Amino acid sequence: MSPVHVVALGGSLLRPEEADARAMWMGQLRQLMVHLEGNGRRIALVVGGGLPAREGIELAKTSISAPHRLDEIGIAGTRLNATVLQQVLLDIGCDVAPSVPHTIDDARSLLDDHHIVVMGGTVPGHTTDTVAVKLAAAVHARHCIIATNVSHVYDKDPRANDDAKALTDITLAELGAIVGVGQPLEPGASAVVDPVAVAVAMEAGLDLAVLDGRDIRRLDDALDGKLFDGTVIKA
Ligand code: UTP
């Protein structure tokens, strides 16, 4: 059977600010998935919660503070976004799993029968980056691609530091020194890669690729095993 590719798709990618960009990105992703399926590839898309997750968590935060409850709301947001992509791909006739799995095991078995599986989060305590890394390890993927809304991993936060440098080739240990290792983020908080995912990748000896998913060509290149514009992170 062909190898499985696993991609964490940041939730913000589904909702570029301009409506035109939104339709264009979705159209390009659809085209890419049709092309990959046509080539017999199997692919898991693990979709982040973006706006609905953040909005739900903010709304609930006024009444509850238990992190696992806020995480459950975040998970619901990720599953909403996953369902949007699942239905869009089903609508154009792709061979997509008819359910959005709740666990890594279910995702793995759906990948035995379908070219494409779309899922969101699973359990509290991490983000969809971690779900993607766990799934990539479980299916022995060559690497886990993290498609987000920044071009690279930077040596420091580029929003706060004008002199932040984009990194093209680093190790998991170096990534861990930048974002942390194993310490869960607050519900709804964001980092270029979830520190829990870094710990899981280290344990599994799994390479990562971080790239700007707003540019579908970069995702295509990384899926094709070509040199891509982004950061390669070696185990
Ligand atoms: P995301 O996976 O969307 O967080 O999960 P993110 O990667 O920071 O954001 P994107 O990729 O830009 O969308 C949103 C929230 O849902 C909960 C967490 O609270 C997380 O912050 N979550 C998600 C879980 O608790 N478990 C999961 O498996 C996934």
PDB file of all heavy atoms in Angstrom, residues 1-2 4-6 42-46 97 99-119 122 131 133-141:
ATOM      1  N   MET A   1       0.842  -1.202   0.000  1.00  0.00           N
ATOM      2  CA  MET A   1       0.000   0.000   0.000  1.00  0.00           C
ATOM      3  C   MET A   1       0.883   1.261   0.000  1.00  0.00           C
ATOM      4  O   MET A   1       1.978   1.231   0.556  1.00  0.00           O
ATOM      5  CB  MET A   1      -0.893  -0.023   1.244  1.00  0.00           C
ATOM      6  CG  MET A   1      -2.306   0.439   0.956  1.00  0.00           C
ATOM      7  SD  MET A   1      -3.289   0.601   2.411  1.00  0.00           S
ATOM      8  CE  MET A   1      -3.913  -1.072   2.599  1.00  0.00           C
ATOM      9  N   SER A   2       0.389   2.347  -0.624  1.00  0.00           N
ATOM     10  CA  SER A   2       1.220   3.553  -0.728  1.00  0.00           C
ATOM     11  C   SER A   2       1.395   4.203   0.648  1.00  0.00           C
ATOM     12  O   SER A   2       0.528   4.071   1.516  1.00  0.00           O
ATOM     13  CB  SER A   2       0.565   4.544  -1.692  1.00  0.00           C
ATOM     14  OG  SER A   2      -0.659   4.977  -1.162  1.00  0.00           O
ATOM     15  N   VAL A   4       1.490   6.916   3.696  1.00  0.00           N
ATOM     16  CA  VAL A   4       0.507   7.946   4.073  1.00  0.00           C
ATOM     17  C   VAL A   4       1.239   9.266   4.326  1.00  0.00           C
ATOM     18  O   VAL A   4       2.318   9.282   4.913  1.00  0.00           O
ATOM     19  CB  VAL A   4      -0.250   7.530   5.358  1.00  0.00           C
ATOM     20  CG1 VAL A   4      -1.243   8.611   5.761  1.00  0.00           C
ATOM     21  CG2 VAL A   4      -0.950   6.205   5.172  1.00  0.00           C
ATOM     22  N   HIS A   5       0.646  10.349   3.864  1.00  0.00           N
ATOM     23  CA  HIS A   5       1.153  11.685   4.171  1.00  0.00           C
ATOM     24  C   HIS A   5       0.250  12.303   5.229  1.00  0.00           C
ATOM     25  O   HIS A   5      -0.972  12.167   5.132  1.00  0.00           O
ATOM     26  CB  HIS A   5       1.122  12.570   2.933  1.00  0.00           C
ATOM     27  CG  HIS A   5       1.970  12.045   1.823  1.00  0.00           C
ATOM     28  ND1 HIS A   5       3.298  12.352   1.706  1.00  0.00           N
ATOM     29  CD2 HIS A   5       1.677  11.199   0.812  1.00  0.00           C
ATOM     30  CE1 HIS A   5       3.788  11.732   0.654  1.00  0.00           C
ATOM     31  NE2 HIS A   5       2.823  11.022   0.101  1.00  0.00           N
ATOM     32  N   VAL A   6       0.838  12.939   6.201  1.00  0.00           N
ATOM     33  CA  VAL A   6       0.028  13.580   7.238  1.00  0.00           C
ATOM     34  C   VAL A   6       0.350  15.072   7.267  1.00  0.00           C
ATOM     35  O   VAL A   6       1.521  15.465   7.340  1.00  0.00           O
ATOM     36  CB  VAL A   6       0.294  12.953   8.626  1.00  0.00           C
ATOM     37  CG1 VAL A   6      -0.578  13.629   9.683  1.00  0.00           C
ATOM     38  CG2 VAL A   6       0.030  11.451   8.600  1.00  0.00           C
ATOM     39  N   ARG A  42      -2.227   8.378  -0.279  1.00  0.00           N
ATOM     40  CA  ARG A  42      -3.146   8.438   0.863  1.00  0.00           C
ATOM     41  C   ARG A  42      -2.721   9.615   1.732  1.00  0.00           C
ATOM     42  O   ARG A  42      -1.528   9.814   1.973  1.00  0.00           O
ATOM     43  CB  ARG A  42      -3.094   7.132   1.648  1.00  0.00           C
ATOM     44  CG  ARG A  42      -3.721   5.983   0.874  1.00  0.00           C
ATOM     45  CD  ARG A  42      -3.702   4.704   1.671  1.00  0.00           C
ATOM     46  NE  ARG A  42      -2.352   4.300   1.991  1.00  0.00           N
ATOM     47  CZ  ARG A  42      -2.022   3.613   3.081  1.00  0.00           C
ATOM     48  NH1 ARG A  42      -2.926   3.295   3.976  1.00  0.00           N
ATOM     49  NH2 ARG A  42      -0.772   3.255   3.288  1.00  0.00           N
ATOM     50  N   ILE A  43      -3.689  10.336   2.216  1.00  0.00           N
ATOM     51  CA  ILE A  43      -3.350  11.578   2.930  1.00  0.00           C
ATOM     52  C   ILE A  43      -4.326  11.858   4.071  1.00  0.00           C
ATOM     53  O   ILE A  43      -5.533  11.689   3.920  1.00  0.00           O
ATOM     54  CB  ILE A  43      -3.259  12.759   1.932  1.00  0.00           C
ATOM     55  CG1 ILE A  43      -2.969  14.072   2.631  1.00  0.00           C
ATOM     56  CG2 ILE A  43      -4.498  12.911   1.099  1.00  0.00           C
ATOM     57  CD1 ILE A  43      -2.308  15.067   1.726  1.00  0.00           C
ATOM     58  N   ALA A  44      -3.775  12.235   5.212  1.00  0.00           N
ATOM     59  CA  ALA A  44      -4.592  12.642   6.354  1.00  0.00           C
ATOM     60  C   ALA A  44      -4.414  14.139   6.564  1.00  0.00           C
ATOM     61  O   ALA A  44      -3.285  14.624   6.659  1.00  0.00           O
ATOM     62  CB  ALA A  44      -4.161  11.883   7.601  1.00  0.00           C
ATOM     63  N   LEU A  45      -5.539  14.852   6.608  1.00  0.00           N
ATOM     64  CA  LEU A  45      -5.517  16.287   6.914  1.00  0.00           C
ATOM     65  C   LEU A  45      -6.015  16.464   8.339  1.00  0.00           C
ATOM     66  O   LEU A  45      -7.145  16.059   8.652  1.00  0.00           O
ATOM     67  CB  LEU A  45      -6.435  17.055   5.955  1.00  0.00           C
ATOM     68  CG  LEU A  45      -6.093  17.022   4.465  1.00  0.00           C
ATOM     69  CD1 LEU A  45      -7.157  17.772   3.667  1.00  0.00           C
ATOM     70  CD2 LEU A  45      -4.714  17.629   4.216  1.00  0.00           C
ATOM     71  N   VAL A  46      -5.194  17.029   9.194  1.00  0.00           N
ATOM     72  CA  VAL A  46      -5.591  17.267  10.582  1.00  0.00           C
ATOM     73  C   VAL A  46      -5.789  18.779  10.711  1.00  0.00           C
ATOM     74  O   VAL A  46      -4.824  19.541  10.624  1.00  0.00           O
ATOM     75  CB  VAL A  46      -4.527  16.748  11.571  1.00  0.00           C
ATOM     76  CG1 VAL A  46      -5.012  16.927  13.002  1.00  0.00           C
ATOM     77  CG2 VAL A  46      -4.189  15.275  11.290  1.00  0.00           C
ATOM     78  N   ALA A  97     -12.987   9.618   3.789  1.00  0.00           N
ATOM     79  CA  ALA A  97     -13.686   8.844   4.824  1.00  0.00           C
ATOM     80  C   ALA A  97     -14.987   9.555   5.182  1.00  0.00           C
ATOM     81  O   ALA A  97     -14.994  10.780   5.360  1.00  0.00           O
ATOM     82  CB  ALA A  97     -12.805   8.696   6.051  1.00  0.00           C
ATOM     83  N   SER A  99     -16.655   9.547   7.890  1.00  0.00           N
ATOM     84  CA  SER A  99     -16.738  10.104   9.246  1.00  0.00           C
ATOM     85  C   SER A  99     -15.457  10.863   9.560  1.00  0.00           C
ATOM     86  O   SER A  99     -14.408  10.616   8.954  1.00  0.00           O
ATOM     87  CB  SER A  99     -16.955   8.991  10.273  1.00  0.00           C
ATOM     88  OG  SER A  99     -15.878   8.083  10.209  1.00  0.00           O
ATOM     89  N   VAL A 100     -15.576  11.792  10.510  1.00  0.00           N
ATOM     90  CA  VAL A 100     -14.408  12.537  11.007  1.00  0.00           C
ATOM     91  C   VAL A 100     -13.962  11.816  12.281  1.00  0.00           C
ATOM     92  O   VAL A 100     -14.653  11.893  13.307  1.00  0.00           O
ATOM     93  CB  VAL A 100     -14.793  14.011  11.293  1.00  0.00           C
ATOM     94  CG1 VAL A 100     -13.656  14.753  11.972  1.00  0.00           C
ATOM     95  CG2 VAL A 100     -15.192  14.720  10.005  1.00  0.00           C
ATOM     96  N   PRO A 101     -12.839  11.092  12.226  1.00  0.00           N
ATOM     97  CA  PRO A 101     -12.485  10.238  13.371  1.00  0.00           C
ATOM     98  C   PRO A 101     -12.177  11.036  14.643  1.00  0.00           C
ATOM     99  O   PRO A 101     -11.711  12.173  14.567  1.00  0.00           O
ATOM    100  CB  PRO A 101     -11.252   9.479  12.889  1.00  0.00           C
ATOM    101  CG  PRO A 101     -10.723  10.251  11.732  1.00  0.00           C
ATOM    102  CD  PRO A 101     -11.872  10.967  11.121  1.00  0.00           C
ATOM    103  N   HIS A 102     -12.444  10.375  15.781  1.00  0.00           N
ATOM    104  CA  HIS A 102     -12.177  11.004  17.083  1.00  0.00           C
ATOM    105  C   HIS A 102     -10.835  10.552  17.661  1.00  0.00           C
ATOM    106  O   HIS A 102     -10.397  11.103  18.662  1.00  0.00           O
ATOM    107  CB  HIS A 102     -13.274  10.600  18.089  1.00  0.00           C
ATOM    108  CG  HIS A 102     -14.578  11.296  17.878  1.00  0.00           C
ATOM    109  ND1 HIS A 102     -14.927  12.446  18.549  1.00  0.00           N
ATOM    110  CD2 HIS A 102     -15.618  11.013  17.069  1.00  0.00           C
ATOM    111  CE1 HIS A 102     -16.130  12.837  18.171  1.00  0.00           C
ATOM    112  NE2 HIS A 102     -16.579  11.972  17.268  1.00  0.00           N
ATOM    113  N   THR A 103     -10.268   9.487  17.094  1.00  0.00           N
ATOM    114  CA  THR A 103      -9.027   8.958  17.676  1.00  0.00           C
ATOM    115  C   THR A 103      -8.009   8.666  16.570  1.00  0.00           C
ATOM    116  O   THR A 103      -8.376   8.511  15.400  1.00  0.00           O
ATOM    117  CB  THR A 103      -9.288   7.622  18.429  1.00  0.00           C
ATOM    118  OG1 THR A 103      -9.682   6.626  17.465  1.00  0.00           O
ATOM    119  CG2 THR A 103     -10.378   7.759  19.485  1.00  0.00           C
ATOM    120  N   ILE A 104      -6.749   8.534  16.994  1.00  0.00           N
ATOM    121  CA  ILE A 104      -5.665   8.184  16.061  1.00  0.00           C
ATOM    122  C   ILE A 104      -5.931   6.789  15.478  1.00  0.00           C
ATOM    123  O   ILE A 104      -5.738   6.564  14.284  1.00  0.00           O
ATOM    124  CB  ILE A 104      -4.311   8.173  16.814  1.00  0.00           C
ATOM    125  CG1 ILE A 104      -4.040   9.515  17.495  1.00  0.00           C
ATOM    126  CG2 ILE A 104      -3.153   7.756  15.904  1.00  0.00           C
ATOM    127  CD1 ILE A 104      -3.701  10.639  16.595  1.00  0.00           C
ATOM    128  N   ASP A 105      -6.375   5.854  16.338  1.00  0.00           N
ATOM    129  CA  ASP A 105      -6.624   4.484  15.861  1.00  0.00           C
ATOM    130  C   ASP A 105      -7.695   4.461  14.783  1.00  0.00           C
ATOM    131  O   ASP A 105      -7.554   3.768  13.777  1.00  0.00           O
ATOM    132  CB  ASP A 105      -7.096   3.591  17.032  1.00  0.00           C
ATOM    133  CG  ASP A 105      -5.904   3.052  17.795  1.00  0.00           C
ATOM    134  OD1 ASP A 105      -4.762   3.272  17.336  1.00  0.00           O
ATOM    135  OD2 ASP A 105      -6.127   2.417  18.847  1.00  0.00           O
ATOM    136  N   ASP A 106      -8.781   5.215  15.007  1.00  0.00           N
ATOM    137  CA  ASP A 106      -9.861   5.254  14.004  1.00  0.00           C
ATOM    138  C   ASP A 106      -9.349   5.885  12.704  1.00  0.00           C
ATOM    139  O   ASP A 106      -9.694   5.430  11.615  1.00  0.00           O
ATOM    140  CB  ASP A 106     -11.056   6.060  14.525  1.00  0.00           C
ATOM    141  CG  ASP A 106     -11.832   5.275  15.582  1.00  0.00           C
ATOM    142  OD1 ASP A 106     -11.527   4.078  15.784  1.00  0.00           O
ATOM    143  OD2 ASP A 106     -12.731   5.877  16.214  1.00  0.00           O
ATOM    144  N   ALA A 107      -8.537   6.914  12.831  1.00  0.00           N
ATOM    145  CA  ALA A 107      -7.998   7.563  11.624  1.00  0.00           C
ATOM    146  C   ALA A 107      -7.150   6.560  10.850  1.00  0.00           C
ATOM    147  O   ALA A 107      -7.247   6.455   9.625  1.00  0.00           O
ATOM    148  CB  ALA A 107      -7.159   8.782  12.021  1.00  0.00           C
ATOM    149  N   ARG A 108      -6.348   5.802  11.594  1.00  0.00           N
ATOM    150  CA  ARG A 108      -5.472   4.828  10.938  1.00  0.00           C
ATOM    151  C   ARG A 108      -6.287   3.780  10.191  1.00  0.00           C
ATOM    152  O   ARG A 108      -5.987   3.439   9.062  1.00  0.00           O
ATOM    153  CB  ARG A 108      -4.578   4.166  11.989  1.00  0.00           C
ATOM    154  CG  ARG A 108      -3.333   3.596  11.377  1.00  0.00           C
ATOM    155  CD  ARG A 108      -2.341   3.227  12.402  1.00  0.00           C
ATOM    156  NE  ARG A 108      -2.962   2.491  13.506  1.00  0.00           N
ATOM    157  CZ  ARG A 108      -2.277   1.855  14.438  1.00  0.00           C
ATOM    158  NH1 ARG A 108      -0.960   1.879  14.402  1.00  0.00           N
ATOM    159  NH2 ARG A 108      -2.874   1.210  15.406  1.00  0.00           N
ATOM    160  N   SER A 109      -7.355   3.286  10.829  1.00  0.00           N
ATOM    161  CA  SER A 109      -8.090   2.246  10.089  1.00  0.00           C
ATOM    162  C   SER A 109      -8.884   2.833   8.918  1.00  0.00           C
ATOM    163  O   SER A 109      -9.011   2.177   7.894  1.00  0.00           O
ATOM    164  CB  SER A 109      -8.941   1.345  10.997  1.00  0.00           C
ATOM    165  OG  SER A 109      -9.581   2.089  11.946  1.00  0.00           O
ATOM    166  N   LEU A 110      -9.369   4.069   9.042  1.00  0.00           N
ATOM    167  CA  LEU A 110     -10.058   4.687   7.892  1.00  0.00           C
ATOM    168  C   LEU A 110      -9.099   4.867   6.705  1.00  0.00           C
ATOM    169  O   LEU A 110      -9.507   4.784   5.549  1.00  0.00           O
ATOM    170  CB  LEU A 110     -10.666   6.031   8.294  1.00  0.00           C
ATOM    171  CG  LEU A 110     -11.912   5.959   9.192  1.00  0.00           C
ATOM    172  CD1 LEU A 110     -12.243   7.337   9.767  1.00  0.00           C
ATOM    173  CD2 LEU A 110     -13.118   5.411   8.419  1.00  0.00           C
ATOM    174  N   LEU A 111      -7.819   5.073   7.008  1.00  0.00           N
ATOM    175  CA  LEU A 111      -6.832   5.241   5.930  1.00  0.00           C
ATOM    176  C   LEU A 111      -6.566   3.935   5.177  1.00  0.00           C
ATOM    177  O   LEU A 111      -6.010   3.945   4.088  1.00  0.00           O
ATOM    178  CB  LEU A 111      -5.510   5.792   6.494  1.00  0.00           C
ATOM    179  CG  LEU A 111      -5.513   7.295   6.776  1.00  0.00           C
ATOM    180  CD1 LEU A 111      -4.368   7.682   7.701  1.00  0.00           C
ATOM    181  CD2 LEU A 111      -5.422   8.090   5.472  1.00  0.00           C
ATOM    182  N   ASP A 112      -6.961   2.800   5.783  1.00  0.00           N
ATOM    183  CA  ASP A 112      -6.846   1.521   5.055  1.00  0.00           C
ATOM    184  C   ASP A 112      -7.866   1.452   3.921  1.00  0.00           C
ATOM    185  O   ASP A 112      -7.668   0.740   2.946  1.00  0.00           O
ATOM    186  CB  ASP A 112      -7.097   0.328   6.000  1.00  0.00           C
ATOM    187  CG  ASP A 112      -5.963   0.156   6.993  1.00  0.00           C
ATOM    188  OD1 ASP A 112      -4.853   0.650   6.707  1.00  0.00           O
ATOM    189  OD2 ASP A 112      -6.195  -0.460   8.057  1.00  0.00           O
ATOM    190  N   ASP A 113      -8.992   2.168   4.088  1.00  0.00           N
ATOM    191  CA  ASP A 113     -10.096   2.040   3.122  1.00  0.00           C
ATOM    192  C   ASP A 113     -10.324   3.272   2.257  1.00  0.00           C
ATOM    193  O   ASP A 113     -11.143   3.234   1.342  1.00  0.00           O
ATOM    194  CB  ASP A 113     -11.410   1.760   3.882  1.00  0.00           C
ATOM    195  CG  ASP A 113     -11.341   0.449   4.642  1.00  0.00           C
ATOM    196  OD1 ASP A 113     -10.643  -0.461   4.169  1.00  0.00           O
ATOM    197  OD2 ASP A 113     -11.975   0.355   5.714  1.00  0.00           O
ATOM    198  N   HIS A 114      -9.680   4.388   2.602  1.00  0.00           N
ATOM    199  CA  HIS A 114      -9.926   5.627   1.861  1.00  0.00           C
ATOM    200  C   HIS A 114      -8.611   6.340   1.551  1.00  0.00           C
ATOM    201  O   HIS A 114      -7.663   6.241   2.325  1.00  0.00           O
ATOM    202  CB  HIS A 114     -10.825   6.572   2.674  1.00  0.00           C
ATOM    203  CG  HIS A 114     -12.166   5.968   2.970  1.00  0.00           C
ATOM    204  ND1 HIS A 114     -13.193   5.965   2.057  1.00  0.00           N
ATOM    205  CD2 HIS A 114     -12.614   5.308   4.063  1.00  0.00           C
ATOM    206  CE1 HIS A 114     -14.232   5.333   2.581  1.00  0.00           C
ATOM    207  NE2 HIS A 114     -13.908   4.924   3.794  1.00  0.00           N
ATOM    208  N   HIS A 115      -8.617   7.076   0.443  1.00  0.00           N
ATOM    209  CA  HIS A 115      -7.412   7.845   0.105  1.00  0.00           C
ATOM    210  C   HIS A 115      -7.225   9.029   1.056  1.00  0.00           C
ATOM    211  O   HIS A 115      -6.107   9.447   1.316  1.00  0.00           O
ATOM    212  CB  HIS A 115      -7.507   8.377  -1.330  1.00  0.00           C
ATOM    213  CG  HIS A 115      -7.229   7.342  -2.365  1.00  0.00           C
ATOM    214  ND1 HIS A 115      -8.207   6.552  -2.912  1.00  0.00           N
ATOM    215  CD2 HIS A 115      -6.065   6.952  -2.938  1.00  0.00           C
ATOM    216  CE1 HIS A 115      -7.660   5.725  -3.788  1.00  0.00           C
ATOM    217  NE2 HIS A 115      -6.369   5.946  -3.816  1.00  0.00           N
ATOM    218  N   ILE A 116      -8.345   9.590   1.503  1.00  0.00           N
ATOM    219  CA  ILE A 116      -8.265  10.834   2.290  1.00  0.00           C
ATOM    220  C   ILE A 116      -9.049  10.694   3.593  1.00  0.00           C
ATOM    221  O   ILE A 116     -10.188  10.195   3.596  1.00  0.00           O
ATOM    222  CB  ILE A 116      -8.838  12.034   1.481  1.00  0.00           C
ATOM    223  CG1 ILE A 116      -8.088  12.185   0.145  1.00  0.00           C
ATOM    224  CG2 ILE A 116      -8.759  13.322   2.293  1.00  0.00           C
ATOM    225  CD1 ILE A 116      -8.764  13.131  -0.848  1.00  0.00           C
ATOM    226  N   VAL A 117      -8.428  11.123   4.687  1.00  0.00           N
ATOM    227  CA  VAL A 117      -9.125  11.212   5.977  1.00  0.00           C
ATOM    228  C   VAL A 117      -8.958  12.637   6.477  1.00  0.00           C
ATOM    229  O   VAL A 117      -7.854  13.197   6.414  1.00  0.00           O
ATOM    230  CB  VAL A 117      -8.535  10.207   6.998  1.00  0.00           C
ATOM    231  CG1 VAL A 117      -9.030  10.495   8.412  1.00  0.00           C
ATOM    232  CG2 VAL A 117      -8.880   8.772   6.595  1.00  0.00           C
ATOM    233  N   VAL A 118     -10.058  13.248   6.902  1.00  0.00           N
ATOM    234  CA  VAL A 118      -9.975  14.600   7.474  1.00  0.00           C
ATOM    235  C   VAL A 118     -10.411  14.507   8.927  1.00  0.00           C
ATOM    236  O   VAL A 118     -11.468  13.929   9.229  1.00  0.00           O
ATOM    237  CB  VAL A 118     -10.882  15.600   6.720  1.00  0.00           C
ATOM    238  CG1 VAL A 118     -10.603  17.022   7.202  1.00  0.00           C
ATOM    239  CG2 VAL A 118     -10.672  15.509   5.216  1.00  0.00           C
ATOM    240  N   MET A 119      -9.601  15.038   9.818  1.00  0.00           N
ATOM    241  CA  MET A 119      -9.958  15.001  11.246  1.00  0.00           C
ATOM    242  C   MET A 119      -9.537  16.300  11.925  1.00  0.00           C
ATOM    243  O   MET A 119      -8.840  17.129  11.334  1.00  0.00           O
ATOM    244  CB  MET A 119      -9.311  13.792  11.938  1.00  0.00           C
ATOM    245  CG  MET A 119      -7.820  13.894  12.151  1.00  0.00           C
ATOM    246  SD  MET A 119      -7.089  12.371  12.872  1.00  0.00           S
ATOM    247  CE  MET A 119      -7.881  12.278  14.486  1.00  0.00           C
ATOM    248  N   THR A 122      -8.487  15.508  19.222  1.00  0.00           N
ATOM    249  CA  THR A 122      -8.881  14.227  19.833  1.00  0.00           C
ATOM    250  C   THR A 122      -9.219  14.396  21.315  1.00  0.00           C
ATOM    251  O   THR A 122     -10.376  14.299  21.700  1.00  0.00           O
ATOM    252  CB  THR A 122      -7.747  13.197  19.662  1.00  0.00           C
ATOM    253  OG1 THR A 122      -6.516  13.769  20.144  1.00  0.00           O
ATOM    254  CG2 THR A 122      -7.608  12.762  18.205  1.00  0.00           C
ATOM    255  N   VAL A 131      -1.841  15.926  17.368  1.00  0.00           N
ATOM    256  CA  VAL A 131      -2.636  14.855  16.741  1.00  0.00           C
ATOM    257  C   VAL A 131      -1.948  14.422  15.443  1.00  0.00           C
ATOM    258  O   VAL A 131      -1.771  13.225  15.179  1.00  0.00           O
ATOM    259  CB  VAL A 131      -4.078  15.345  16.452  1.00  0.00           C
ATOM    260  CG1 VAL A 131      -4.877  14.271  15.728  1.00  0.00           C
ATOM    261  CG2 VAL A 131      -4.780  15.753  17.757  1.00  0.00           C
ATOM    262  N   VAL A 133       1.210  14.778  14.528  1.00  0.00           N
ATOM    263  CA  VAL A 133       2.504  14.111  14.770  1.00  0.00           C
ATOM    264  C   VAL A 133       2.275  12.685  15.278  1.00  0.00           C
ATOM    265  O   VAL A 133       2.949  11.745  14.851  1.00  0.00           O
ATOM    266  CB  VAL A 133       3.369  14.944  15.754  1.00  0.00           C
ATOM    267  CG1 VAL A 133       4.588  14.163  16.210  1.00  0.00           C
ATOM    268  CG2 VAL A 133       3.804  16.245  15.094  1.00  0.00           C
ATOM    269  N   LYS A 134       1.292  12.503  16.155  1.00  0.00           N
ATOM    270  CA  LYS A 134       0.994  11.147  16.659  1.00  0.00           C
ATOM    271  C   LYS A 134       0.535  10.245  15.513  1.00  0.00           C
ATOM    272  O   LYS A 134       0.935   9.090  15.424  1.00  0.00           O
ATOM    273  CB  LYS A 134      -0.104  11.192  17.727  1.00  0.00           C
ATOM    274  CG  LYS A 134       0.403  11.685  19.067  1.00  0.00           C
ATOM    275  CD  LYS A 134      -0.675  11.537  20.120  1.00  0.00           C
ATOM    276  CE  LYS A 134      -0.111  11.848  21.495  1.00  0.00           C
ATOM    277  NZ  LYS A 134      -1.111  11.821  22.553  1.00  0.00           N
ATOM    278  N   LEU A 135      -0.333  10.786  14.652  1.00  0.00           N
ATOM    279  CA  LEU A 135      -0.833   9.982  13.530  1.00  0.00           C
ATOM    280  C   LEU A 135       0.313   9.653  12.563  1.00  0.00           C
ATOM    281  O   LEU A 135       0.440   8.520  12.099  1.00  0.00           O
ATOM    282  CB  LEU A 135      -1.968  10.731  12.805  1.00  0.00           C
ATOM    283  CG  LEU A 135      -2.589  10.021  11.607  1.00  0.00           C
ATOM    284  CD1 LEU A 135      -3.163   8.650  12.003  1.00  0.00           C
ATOM    285  CD2 LEU A 135      -3.695  10.879  10.983  1.00  0.00           C
ATOM    286  N   ALA A 136       1.166  10.649  12.289  1.00  0.00           N
ATOM    287  CA  ALA A 136       2.300  10.416  11.374  1.00  0.00           C
ATOM    288  C   ALA A 136       3.203   9.308  11.927  1.00  0.00           C
ATOM    289  O   ALA A 136       3.674   8.452  11.174  1.00  0.00           O
ATOM    290  CB  ALA A 136       3.084  11.711  11.173  1.00  0.00           C
ATOM    291  N   ALA A 137       3.416   9.320  13.242  1.00  0.00           N
ATOM    292  CA  ALA A 137       4.255   8.271  13.852  1.00  0.00           C
ATOM    293  C   ALA A 137       3.548   6.918  13.738  1.00  0.00           C
ATOM    294  O   ALA A 137       4.169   5.909  13.410  1.00  0.00           O
ATOM    295  CB  ALA A 137       4.554   8.619  15.308  1.00  0.00           C
ATOM    296  N   ALA A 138       2.228   6.905  13.970  1.00  0.00           N
ATOM    297  CA  ALA A 138       1.477   5.637  13.964  1.00  0.00           C
ATOM    298  C   ALA A 138       1.449   4.998  12.575  1.00  0.00           C
ATOM    299  O   ALA A 138       1.436   3.768  12.472  1.00  0.00           O
ATOM    300  CB  ALA A 138       0.050   5.884  14.460  1.00  0.00           C
ATOM    301  N   VAL A 139       1.441   5.813  11.522  1.00  0.00           N
ATOM    302  CA  VAL A 139       1.368   5.243  10.161  1.00  0.00           C
ATOM    303  C   VAL A 139       2.745   5.204   9.494  1.00  0.00           C
ATOM    304  O   VAL A 139       2.854   4.918   8.309  1.00  0.00           O
ATOM    305  CB  VAL A 139       0.367   6.019   9.252  1.00  0.00           C
ATOM    306  CG1 VAL A 139      -1.041   5.957   9.813  1.00  0.00           C
ATOM    307  CG2 VAL A 139       0.807   7.467   9.056  1.00  0.00           C
ATOM    308  N   HIS A 140       3.790   5.511  10.276  1.00  0.00           N
ATOM    309  CA  HIS A 140       5.170   5.502   9.765  1.00  0.00           C
ATOM    310  C   HIS A 140       5.330   6.421   8.557  1.00  0.00           C
ATOM    311  O   HIS A 140       5.907   6.033   7.540  1.00  0.00           O
ATOM    312  CB  HIS A 140       5.619   4.075   9.413  1.00  0.00           C
ATOM    313  CG  HIS A 140       5.410   3.110  10.542  1.00  0.00           C
ATOM    314  ND1 HIS A 140       6.165   3.169  11.697  1.00  0.00           N
ATOM    315  CD2 HIS A 140       4.531   2.105  10.715  1.00  0.00           C
ATOM    316  CE1 HIS A 140       5.749   2.238  12.536  1.00  0.00           C
ATOM    317  NE2 HIS A 140       4.746   1.574  11.968  1.00  0.00           N
ATOM    318  N   ALA A 141       4.772   7.610   8.667  1.00  0.00           N
ATOM    319  CA  ALA A 141       4.930   8.601   7.590  1.00  0.00           C
ATOM    320  C   ALA A 141       6.393   9.051   7.542  1.00  0.00           C
ATOM    321  O   ALA A 141       7.111   8.968   8.542  1.00  0.00           O
ATOM    322  CB  ALA A 141       4.018   9.793   7.848  1.00  0.00           C
TER     323      ALA A 141
END
